Amino acid sequence: MMQSYMRTTGNKQCWESASASTTGMMWKTLLVVSLFCWGKCQESQNMTPEEKGAIRDQIVEMFDHAYGSYMKYAYPADELMPLSCRGRVRGQEPNRGDIDDSLGKFSLTLIDTLDTLVVLNKLDEFEEAVKKAVSDVRLDNDVVVSVFETNIRVLGGLLGGHVMADLLRQRGERMQWYRDELLHMAKELGHRLLPAFNTTSGLPYPKVNLRYGVLNPLSRTGTESDTCTACAGTMILEFAALSRLSGNSVFEEHARKALDVLWERRQRGSDLVGTVINIHNGEWVRRDSGVGAGIDSYYEYLMKAYILLGDNVFLDRFNVHYSAIMKYISQPPLLLNVHMHNPTVSVRSWMDSLLAFFPGLQVLRGDLKPAIETHEMLYQVTKQHKFLPEAFTTEFRVHWGQHLLRPEFAESTYYLYKATGDPYYLRVGQSIVEKLNAYARVPCGFAAVQDVRTGTHEDRMDSFFLAEMFKYLYLMFSEKSHLPIDMDGYIFTTEAHLLPISLSTTQPPCPGNDTETVRISQEEDLFTHSCPSTETLFPNNPSFAKTIRDGYKYLTGVGRAFHPLPIREIELPLHDNGMEPVEFFKSMGISLTPLNEANMGDTGRLKEHKGVYRVKLVAELSQAPEEEVVVPHVVQLISPPFLGRTVLTAGPAKFGMDLTKQEHGVKGSIVKASPYTACGPIDNAAGLKGHIALALRGDCMFAAKARWLQKAGAIGAIFIDHREGSNSEETPLFQMVGDGDSTEDITLPLVFLFSREGAVLTAALEKHHNVDVLLLPKERQLGRDKMEKHVSMNLKLRLAEEGEMEGGAASGRTLEFVLENDEVLLKDEGVEELREKQQQSCTEDSDRTQPSQIPDS
């Protein structure tokens, strides 16, 4: 697959797989070569053809389970709700905010899955799915949808489906009835998306009404002023393909214009772009720059637009941006956001899961070493948490525990396997398959994971799971003979839809849609205009990938070779029938092992002891990894009839007023904001002034909501989760974070309630109309006379002489364990006394095991 992407602009040649001779030449010169000698990989990761075949069959069975469940329980709805075993129809389920902007009542999952059916050689199912799409799907619904999501999922799905249908029709075996119906639907949808580009800058609106456009009074949209960089910069592949397949240049022209604006608005000093931009004046709204959420596919589409269209300007722009990324954002193996105007300082200490696509893009660029490094870091995180959390810290702890069955990590794994041929990456792919089956599979499909720390499921299976995940996994374990099409002739869109790279030659550019070439001055490296060979990069080193990985294999501590701490002995006088102390020590975090089972190394060091000891145990303390401390807050209802008895657990914010420093918290009556998402000017500002605002999570950042509410005069804000059923009992609390820019201007106290707790609060407001609440840390809630105190308990363990157990207590040294502040401490009361005895009678003490000194945990 990957070889189909290689081009060289050094001599202004373009390679298309339509030409067998050109393909052969490129294989010899510019292909990222897969070295056959890696079959002797020293990691013993080799996989037999039979084993690959078994995994491939398992992937097909998993796809059948997911797709079959959608068709059985959900179609014609947009998506499957795998826990409820029914379809998700917009307007019939609780509003999830901007997440629902992907749903347009156009059988989203069916269209998004069309070309996956062909890749997995399910041609009968593909033909049936095309017939359903043609007969059942309507694109003129009165629904406001995301321009970005509709483009990559629906327009891309229709185009990929058309390309596959046309190919099968030309072979003469199937689809003889097909008359370009999917292409006609794609043209209709393209025209319905075009009104979004009616801005002064050329950047598209983020949303459009499929029936009424943007500025129509009935459209219910058009008031937005901002869009993300990826949202505006991820149109060129689908729109250019639509132009060249339909002969109408208008689509490609608009997509090119949007890319021109983003390029012109880059920060000239750093060559970086921000995350959110104003669609009217082109000013940056959020200036943090990275390769994850909000920017990711902008960079991807610059590289792939060059591959698909053969236009050098896109490669030149990508190379400029890539140099800046590697200079400022890349801190191998990490990729950290920076400020576009001051790129030497990281603006946050966490990464989001969407950046997992970047190693795959680096493979296309030919930069294998950092791709291997970052991928290995991501793999270690998945081994620690089962899946990639939606966000994780630089210490690889969970920052946001949700996992939506995203395919980006599988995508990069696929690219690295195709580039290196290293069977290690097949094992990584196998682990993805196994974890999906073990932790995401449910009776009606596969369910997203609400929190990787608890394993709880969420009632959603996004369409991209079928569109992308199964393509990458199946292709990873397949040979060319297993595939119904030659993958070398296609490029993946960001949604993994297939577009033929022959478009640049068989379909000439439409008149007037070329971007003006501007000479770019930059430092060029070996691979700026050509793709490298691994023989050039790593001569005579077939195990180079392993060499790079080894430096990051134990990055998170998972899987590290065990090196036991020096074992010190404690002798405990336990009776044959009295093992309660074992369980007690386990509850304190002390691991107890029978001495004869412990690996003591040199067994000759074990000494014989005087006295009768029923059981000998070895105790060893291990320090648990640090966890980010989240101070629980509460929303306490204090007005009648609640009078402080209703207390809702809430999460804090990392910005705004610090409630831990407010002795009595913040009190006020609550008012629901209008609009409820608080992502724009507040309509009921007069009624909100002087009150604590209720607002729904979604559509924009927490910081943006806080600023609008603060401007309206609110004295506090309570944000309520839009995910149905979420609650503080099953989901760990988290701290709300800012938007990457300074949040010093936000002075409101802010707390977050999960959906179930939020429902209690909104129900109280609807019933009683006037509800006063108190926002404060949980430990200070009203009704607590004093803070809970930790209970201290002393446990004394003494070394008993023979006969002493029957003769009563005798004086001697004691080991005293104290449970205090959730820590395990050891007080050694007899050390000095023992030292004195040792000095007096060395002979007597030499036969006695010295007491353990266990470090504080």
Side-chain angles (χ1 to χ4, degrees), residues 122-135:
K122 293 186 170 295
L123 304 185
D124 290 337
E125 291 88 341
F126 171 72
E127 186 162 3
E128 182 65 25
V130 173
K131 290 179 179 178
K132 286 183 178 297
V134 171
S135 63

Side-chain angles (χ1 to χ4, degrees), residues 516-527:
E516 182 180 355
T517 301
V518 179
R519 183 60 189 167
I520 300 170
S521 176
Q522 66 169 34
E523 295 182 6
E524 297 187 354
D525 59 29
L526 180 62
F527 309 123

Side-chain angles (χ1 to χ4, degrees), residues 144-210:
V144 176
V145 297
S146 162
V147 173
F148 167 76
E149 297 289 355
T150 304
N151 174 63
I152 66 172
R153 299 200 204 188
V154 186
L155 182 58
L158 291 170
L159 291 171
H162 164 70
V163 169
M164 294 296 101
D166 187 51
L167 176 67
L168 295 175
R169 178 180 58 184
Q170 291 180 26
R171 290 181 179 176
E173 300 173 1
R174 295 176 178 273
M175 306 296 294
Q176 296 306 298
W177 58 269
Y178 182 68
R179 296 295 181 269
D180 297 340
E181 287 89 347
L182 294 180
L183 179 59
H184 296 318
M185 294 174 67
K187 286 191 289 185
E188 178 188 350
L189 182 60
H191 283 291
R192 293 187 181 282
L193 294 178
L194 280 181
F197 290 85
N198 187 20
T199 62
T200 54
S201 68
L203 297 171
Y205 281 95
K207 301 179 183 181
V208 66
N209 186 300
L210 290 175

Side-chain angles (χ1 to χ4, degrees), residues 233-274:
T234 311
M235 307 291 292
I236 186 63
L237 294 189
E238 293 84 0
F239 269 41
L242 180 57
S243 282
R244 300 191 182 204
L245 290 170
S246 68
N248 188 342
S249 66
V250 65
F251 307 108
E252 187 172 344
E253 289 173 1
H254 282 296
R256 283 179 177 262
K257 172 62 175 175
L259 285 177
D260 289 347
V261 175
L262 292 174
W263 172 252
E264 290 300 319
R265 300 305 300 180
R266 77 189 187 283
Q267 213 290 320
R268 300 303 177 99
S270 66
D271 285 320
L272 296 173
V273 293

Side-chain angles (χ1 to χ4, degrees), residues 387-403:
F387 297 105
L388 269 186
E390 195 72 353
F392 53 94
T393 70
T394 53
E395 292 82 26
F396 313 111
R397 297 195 299 266
V398 173
H399 183 74
W400 183 7
Q402 191 179 32
H403 175 74

